[in-house]
Amino acid sequence: MNDTQSDPAAARVALVTGASRGLGFALASALGAAGWHVIAVARTVGGLEELDDRIQAAGGQATLAPMDIADDKAMIHLAQSIAGRWGGLGLWVHAAIHAAPLAPAGSLDLKDLDKCLATNIRATASLIPLVEPLLRVRGGTALFLDDPRGGERFFGAYGATKAAQIALAQSWQAETARIGPRVVIATPRPMATATRARFYPGEDRAALADIHDEARRLIATL
């Protein structure tokens, strides 16, 4: 991890997985501006560096973790590092997703499907037991972002695996309702993201929500 803060011990600490682009980027930016120390995880180094610049410009601080959430060893190391340095987490925002290209169910690219399975389901299932004790020690919250497209035309790979991810989060939410950590599942409004532009080319983007406005709205609900 590339640490950009000298003494973060007293700060609120938020882990954002999928922080280098889209809503994850916007949520990490908003949290940094609101005084959270953001541990930003993504594979795209350039996106993380841009995020760090934005957070620092707003007076915040971040730790960059250029890692693949599907790499079990890397995630175990990350969790151990968080426990060793900060002791726990106040918030986990899980925004990492693989959105496969749209395709008919009868013509799915199995490589894309495998990547959806690895990122959207398996990595989530691997992260929950690693992050749960870090959140519990701080009375923290986990935030999942729903995108209910399961069963829609051409959304076979992404829609099915995203629905499975949210079903897993709902199970965790029910299991921890009394003992914590708190699990929140939110459905963002349609936003002007690059992923949506791929799904709906030619759409009038003027009617879509700005990702930074939506990030601030979601954080305010926590």
Side-chain angles (χ1 to χ4, degrees):
M1 294 190 296
N2 176 23
D3 192 4
T4 62
Q5 156 168 319
S6 59
D7 184 15
R12 292 179 295 170
V13 180
L15 172 66
V16 181
T17 41
S20 66
R21 63 184 67 182
L23 185 56
F25 180 97
L27 285 162
S29 299
L31 288 166
W36 289 80
H37 181 85
V38 177
I39 304 168
V41 179
R43 293 180 302 164
T44 309
V45 175
L48 290 177
E49 291 174 344
E50 181 183 348
L51 171 66
D52 188 37
D53 290 343
R54 187 181 181 97
I55 289 175
Q56 288 197 49
Q61 296 169 318
T63 295
L64 307 184
M67 299 174 174
D68 184 349
I69 65 164
D71 183 335
D72 291 344
K73 289 182 179 179
M75 292 302 97
I76 291 170
H77 175 71
L78 176 66
Q80 291 173 340
S81 297
I82 292 170
R85 176 145 195 189
W86 292 283
L89 290 168
L91 178 64
W92 172 32
V93 176
H94 189 41
I97 197 74
H98 178 67
L102 301 187
S107 305
L108 290 180
D109 184 318
L110 294 184
K111 289 183 179 179
D112 278 330
L113 177 60
D114 286 344
K115 192 168 183 181
C116 283
L117 290 166
T119 302
N120 303 346
I121 301 176
R122 190 187 184 285
T124 303
S126 297
L127 279 165
I128 287 173
L130 294 174
V131 176
E132 182 178 71
L134 299 173
L135 291 171
R136 187 169 288 156
V137 75
R138 290 283 182 86
T141 295
L143 173 62
F144 288 82
L145 305 165
D146 196 5
D147 188 7
R149 302 194 185 280
E152 291 188 13
R153 292 189 308 159
F154 309 123
F155 278 92
Y158 169 59
T161 55
K162 183 63 177 175
Q165 182 194 78
I166 296 303
L168 176 59
Q170 289 170 333
S171 292
W172 190 31
Q173 183 182 57
E175 292 154 5
T176 60
R178 293 186 178 181
I179 61 173
R182 177 172 172 247
V183 178
V184 175
I185 301 169
T187 303
R189 295 176 295 186
M191 297 167 291
T193 62
T195 297
R196 187 175 178 90
R198 283 200 294 111
F199 288 161
Y200 301 105
E203 182 182 33
D204 180 9
R205 293 169 71 81
L208 301 176
D210 176 80
I211 59 171
H212 296 288
D213 291 341
E214 187 65 3
R216 288 188 287 268
R217 184 188 73 82
L218 290 170
I219 290 170
T221 67
L222 295 177

